[in-house]
Amino acid sequence: MNPETTASHFNAPGRVVTVLNIDSGNVNDTYRVIKRTTFSENQFILQRISQAVFPRPDLVMSNVKAITDYAHDKLEAQSGNSKRIWQLPRVIQTRDGSDYHLDADGNYWRALSMIASATSHEKVLNPEHAHEAGYVLGHFQSIIADFPADQLADTLPGFHITPQYLKQFDKVIEKDEAQQRLVASSEARSIAEFVEDRRIFASKLEDAVESGELHHRPIHGDPKISNIMIDDITGRGTAIVDLDTVKPGLIQYDFGDCVRSVCNPAGEEARDLNEVYIDTDLFQALVKGYLKQADKFLTDADRKYLYHSIRLIAFELGLRFFTDYLAGDVYFKTSYGSQNLNRARVQMKLCESIEVRELILRRVLDGE
């Protein structure tokens, strides 16, 4: 079924004028739908949910609907005392009252309201932008902190469970193709040594869960800089989007992933490793913004593991890229042969930079 026909199944007023492809994101096919009545225009986001990534789109939508309904109630209750207007996408139901449309080919489609007069960016612009990224993440976590995590489905089992990625790595590296790639590349062998040197660290957060220090809460799952919406008028953060990965998990993974995305100015695709480092000015700005909101719900144990999450998430992503490279590039999209190897190099260099600057990062987290 084509997007224009699909758009007509959702309960938004007007007739479809056009459906525009939005060429962003690596998972779902995304479109902007424009509908008009005789006196108004309505726009919304239409997406086909990737079943290759999300085997149960119905559970994804159940999570998104539950969290957004809960968050919208909170935002409405707080709006009178808030210094800024917060936004969050709303699930637009189909004409028959469902949260998604299932077409004749078995594809799952969903519609979401657009965030008005706001823009996202692929890279952080300056410390003020980093501050807003931290502030928006902290605010989102604060308004959903009391939502019962056991009422959310785990739509991505194993996601952000670093020891499981390490087990997958151990299986892949024993295969003939992986061994051939190691023999052929000194860089690959160096990364393999890097992984071995940090193997014991991989279970740091999961061990804290086992001991009862840390507990699962609702998390965003993918709070990268491109998912932070900045108000075009005020220049302040107004929303976090792309809620497909909302699930039970550790808020530390959200924090670490936000830092990883925001505070490495070179990005994931840098070729020159000299450009890859954690920018402590951006980090200080992000943490300042984050803690203004997160102080409301962080426990002492939560704070204790914030540094570890920063180091671990860079290591985890590097491990995932490296494992995919050894397996023959079967998961992450690539445009050249050694791209996943290079991506792994970048994340491991970032992890190393985080380790070198540990004392500085800890002082920032402690408010010094």
Side-chain angles (χ1 to χ4, degrees), residues 250-262:
L250 295 176
I251 58 172
Q252 284 76 13
Y253 285 119
D254 265 2
F255 175 75
D257 204 21
C258 189
V259 170
R260 180 198 64 77
S261 171
V262 172

Side-chain angles (χ1 to χ4, degrees), residues 56-283:
R56 291 289 305 275
D58 56 325
L59 296 182
V60 170
M61 289 309 300
S62 177
N63 282 1
V64 172
K65 185 67 164 57
I67 282 293
T68 53
D69 283 354
Y70 182 82
H72 282 138
D73 287 344
K74 281 285 196 75
L75 293 177
E76 286 293 328
Q78 298 173 3
S79 61
N81 299 319
S82 178
K83 294 181 180 179
R84 67 177 76 188
I85 296 176
W86 290 102
Q87 301 184 73
L88 199 66
R90 176 178 63 87
V91 175
I92 300 172
Q93 294 187 312
T94 62
R95 297 188 184 281
D96 60 4
S98 175
D99 295 331
Y100 55 85
H101 172 68
L102 183 62
D103 70 19
D105 297 322
N107 296 306
Y108 286 77
W109 296 82
R110 53 99 176 279
L112 299 169
S113 62
M114 290 187 64
I115 301 301
S117 303
T119 304
S120 65
H121 302 271
E122 289 299 318
K123 287 188 177 182
V124 68
L125 304 177
N126 47 45
E128 289 77 14
H129 190 193
H131 174 277
E132 290 303 301
Y135 196 87
V136 169
L137 175 61
H139 179 263
F140 179 74
Q141 288 184 341
S142 72
I143 62 174
I144 66 171
D146 294 334
F147 187 92
D150 59 5
Q151 292 184 21
L152 295 174
D154 189 352
T155 51
L156 290 169
F159 182 61
H160 282 332
I161 308 293
T162 312
Q164 292 195 27
Y165 292 121
L166 192 59
K167 288 180 181 179
Q168 183 182 2
F169 165 78
D170 288 340
K171 291 179 181 179
V172 168
I173 201 170
E174 294 299 323
K175 295 181 179 180
D176 290 342
E177 181 177 4
Q179 288 298 312
Q180 290 170 8
R181 290 196 167 204
L182 284 173
V183 169
S185 171
S186 60
E187 291 179 341
R189 294 194 296 275
S190 294
I191 294 176
E193 292 177 8
F194 190 93
V195 171
E196 290 305 315
D197 289 344
R198 288 154 182 80
R199 175 175 291 272
I200 193 171
F201 171 67
S203 63
K204 190 75 175 181
L205 294 186
E206 298 307 316
D207 288 346
V209 174
E210 289 294 321
S211 70
E213 280 190 276
L214 297 181
H215 303 279
H216 287 163
R217 295 191 182 105
I219 64 170
H220 181 278
D222 189 22
K224 58 190 176 186
I225 191 64
S226 60
N227 285 333
I228 304 296
M229 304 297 295
I230 303 297
D231 190 308
D232 293 337
I233 299 170
T234 66
R236 304 169 81 184
T238 186
I240 189 168
V241 297
D242 199 0
L243 305 175
D244 286 343
T245 47
V246 164
K247 64 188 287 289
L250 295 176
I251 58 172
Q252 284 76 13
Y253 285 119
D254 265 2
F255 175 75
D257 204 21
C258 189
V259 170
R260 180 198 64 77
S261 171
V262 172
C263 300
N264 169 23
E268 293 179 3
E269 303 291 347
R271 299 293 190 98
D272 184 354
L273 291 186
N274 290 320
E275 297 178 354
V276 178
Y277 64 97
I278 184 164
D279 186 309
T280 51
D281 289 336
L282 293 176
F283 179 74

